Amino acid sequence: MTDILDELHWRGLVAQSTDEAALRSALAEGPVTYYAGFDPTAQSLHVGHMVQLLNMRRLQLAGHRPLALVGGATGLIGDPRPTTERSMQSRDVVAGWVDRIRSQIEPFLDFEGPAAARMVNNLDWTGEMSAIDLLRDVGRHFRVGTMLAKDIVARRLRSDEGLSFTEFSYQVLQGMDFRELYQRHGCTLQLGGNDQWGNLLSGVELIRKTEGAAVHAMTSPLITRADGSKMGKSEGGAVWLDPELTSPYAFYQFWLNQADADVVKYLKVFTFRTREEIAELEVQVAERPFAREAQRALAGDLTTLVHGQGATDAVIAASQALFGRGDLAALDARTLGAAVAELPSTTTSAGALVVDAFVGSGLVASKAAARRAIAEGGAYVNNTKVTSDDAALDATDLLHGRFAVLRRGKKTLAVATVD
């Protein structure tokens, strides 16, 4: 087994650990059974969850055994947020989200072989537990003073919103999860983000008090941009792993658009590229930033990991076709629709003049400017040069019966859509 802790440190993925020397020794002796939990508080995971998913995969590749916990019980409550309490969902909704999230976790892990992963659901041991059992068997091991001192709890208590007993009790349930996995599967390591440190320690302490055993917790840092802002959101909100919520095209573009100052760090955190490969891409960023080789590697690796090679190929083909380096008509409707979704747009009808579509979409300021672009040979519809002032958008020009991609010059794009 490789020294996986050194690898995680190099990638900037270790923020806190309970006893790193003891953990290093346990990992070296291995294999270690470990877990990370994912609560179904939404219908999909987002790119922020990928840090733990990839950490789980890295440990598995080093020979250790992962347990992927989907919180069918804790998802009914939700861990405390920094500002306001979560809206509770019905049991049926949460159960549906559990299934969706399980399917998103599965591609990241190997469920066969000596280090085979296992899926677990904390509703299996929490669902039938009575309130009396929880208070007698678990709650008595928690001290309220310690619970109140947890950072997220203290912040919420100072806020106007306050903190309900429901959310306050979340750390008890998470602590119980670790103990249950220790008893059932010999799990001795829990992974999480550093905002979960207090919850992770709840399990460590519960196992120490009730089992007399020393177990481990390790967190990864919050992933930020070079300017200090939180990574993981686009202008439209969260970047989801579900292709119905964030299309593979939008997912690819999110990573492609990362700044030069951030991309090398993200290659370490989010890909399995070697030190040598990342070092070479770092040279490319410094010497040929305009080529965006590092961003392309990042976007390609992650889109393939989450959505498959076919989706990545379709996205790259769409990107090339938009700028005249491919056949727009060869793109499927879903990929084309995602590719043009963020472009300036106008709604039109079959038979409308191209000049009017250019003006309506904002590609040019006036009909005179549109005619001038045509005269200069810089106006295109679906990558075909427009040669006449009175050219119209014929029904045959509409891709999938709906879209016409407008281009002025080499790089200025818009779309005309027929409803």
Side-chain angles (χ1 to χ4, degrees):
M1 296 181 187
T2 62
D3 192 332
I4 184 62
L5 265 183
D6 284 346
E7 176 74 6
L8 294 177
H9 273 294
W10 176 76
R11 292 182 180 273
L13 290 170
V14 179
Q16 301 148 304
S17 61
T18 43
D19 184 338
E20 185 167 316
L23 177 57
R24 187 182 294 274
S25 177
L27 290 169
E29 294 173 4
V32 167
T33 299
Y34 61 97
Y35 95 96
F38 304 89
D39 276 344
T41 52
Q43 61 183 302
S44 172
L45 300 178
H46 54 71
V47 296
H49 292 107
M50 290 183 66
V51 176
Q52 298 313 318
L53 289 170
L54 293 170
N55 281 353
M56 293 183 77
R57 179 59 176 162
R58 294 184 208 283
L59 281 163
Q60 186 179 37
L61 289 172
H64 305 289
R65 293 192 289 257
L67 302 171
L69 184 148
V70 182
T74 44
L76 290 167
I77 295 172
D79 60 321
R81 295 191 298 184
T83 52
T84 60
E85 189 162 353
R86 296 179 186 274
S87 297
M88 288 194 184
Q89 304 295 328
S90 72
R91 292 178 181 272
D92 288 343
V93 166
V94 172
W97 289 355
V98 165
D99 291 338
R100 292 170 69 103
I101 289 173
R102 285 171 63 101
S103 70
Q104 291 172 354
I105 293 172
E106 286 171 352
F108 288 84
L109 300 172
D110 187 351
F111 289 82
E112 297 180 353
R118 182 193 294 262
M119 284 279 189
V120 292
N121 184 343
N122 57 19
L123 190 63
D124 292 344
W125 54 82
T126 307
E128 300 303 319
M129 177 176 280
S130 71
I132 294 297
D133 290 339
L134 178 65
L135 293 173
R136 281 178 55 86
D137 299 338
V138 182
R140 67 190 180 92
H141 298 291
F142 285 78
R143 293 295 172 262
V144 172
T146 303
M147 296 173 72
L148 289 172
K150 301 290 173 63
D151 181 61
I152 187 65
V153 172
R155 275 189 286 164
R156 280 289 297 277
L157 289 175
R158 291 193 301 265
S159 71
D160 293 337
E161 179 76 13
L163 183 70
S164 71
F165 177 77
T166 299
E167 285 191 325
F168 181 62
S169 66
Y170 182 91
Q171 56 188 293
V172 175
L173 296 181
Q174 186 164 332
M176 188 173 67
D177 287 344
F178 197 175
R179 187 180 69 170
E180 196 72 27
L181 294 176
Y182 172 82
Q183 293 173 339
R184 292 182 178 218
H185 304 290
C187 179
T188 56
L189 170 62
Q190 182 180 180
L191 306 177
N194 63 353
D195 59 337
Q196 289 286 309
W197 181 240
N199 290 335
L200 270 62
L201 291 182
S202 296
V204 172
E205 281 299 297
L206 181 62
I207 292 170
R208 182 185 65 81
K209 290 177 179 178
T210 62
E211 308 295 323
V215 294
H216 308 282
M218 183 172 67
T219 68
S220 54
L222 178 70
I223 307 302
T224 59
R225 297 185 175 95
D227 63 7
S229 63
K230 185 177 180 180
M231 194 286 297
K233 296 197 174 188
S234 66
E235 292 182 3
V239 180
W240 304 100
L241 303 193
D242 187 332
E244 298 298 326
L245 299 177
T246 298
S247 71
Y249 184 89
F251 187 86
Y252 182 93
Q253 293 297 320
F254 170 78
W255 296 108
L256 184 65
N257 291 330
Q258 296 303 319
D260 291 343
D262 296 317
V263 66
V264 173
K265 177 172 76 171
Y266 294 167
L267 283 165
K268 292 179 180 179
V269 171
F270 291 104
T271 77
F272 292 93
R273 291 188 177 249
T274 65
R275 299 185 187 206
E276 294 75 19
E277 289 173 321
I278 293 174
E280 176 57 32
L281 288 167
E282 188 170 15
V283 171
Q284 295 293 322
V285 172
E287 297 182 352
R288 302 176 65 248
F290 56 88
R292 302 188 71 75
E293 291 295 332
Q295 284 88 344
R296 293 180 193 279
L298 179 68
D301 286 5
L302 289 178
T303 305
T304 299
L305 180 65
V306 175
H307 298 297
Q309 186 63 53
T312 302
D313 293 342
V315 165
I316 293 172
S319 299
Q320 293 174 340
L322 283 178
F323 294 97
R325 298 189 301 275
D327 183 7
L328 284 166
L331 304 178
D332 64 86
R334 183 177 177 184
T335 300
L336 178 62
V340 301
E342 302 302 320
L343 296 179
S345 64
T346 184
T347 301
T348 187
S349 59
L353 293 177
V354 170
V355 166
D356 293 333
F358 266 60
V359 175
S361 66
L363 276 182
V364 294
S366 64
K367 290 185 179 182
R371 294 188 183 99
R372 187 161 54 251
I374 293 170
E376 294 171 352
Y380 299 83
V381 174
N382 298 336
N383 293 333
T384 299
K385 186 178 291 185
V386 181
T387 58
S388 171
D389 288 356
D390 59 0
L393 293 175
D394 189 83
T396 57
D397 293 325
L398 300 177
L399 301 168
H400 299 288
R402 187 180 180 198
F403 301 110
V405 178
L406 313 177
R407 176 160 56 91
R408 178 170 60 84
K410 292 182 178 181
K411 297 182 177 181
T412 309
L413 296 169
V415 63
T417 304
V418 175
D419 290 334

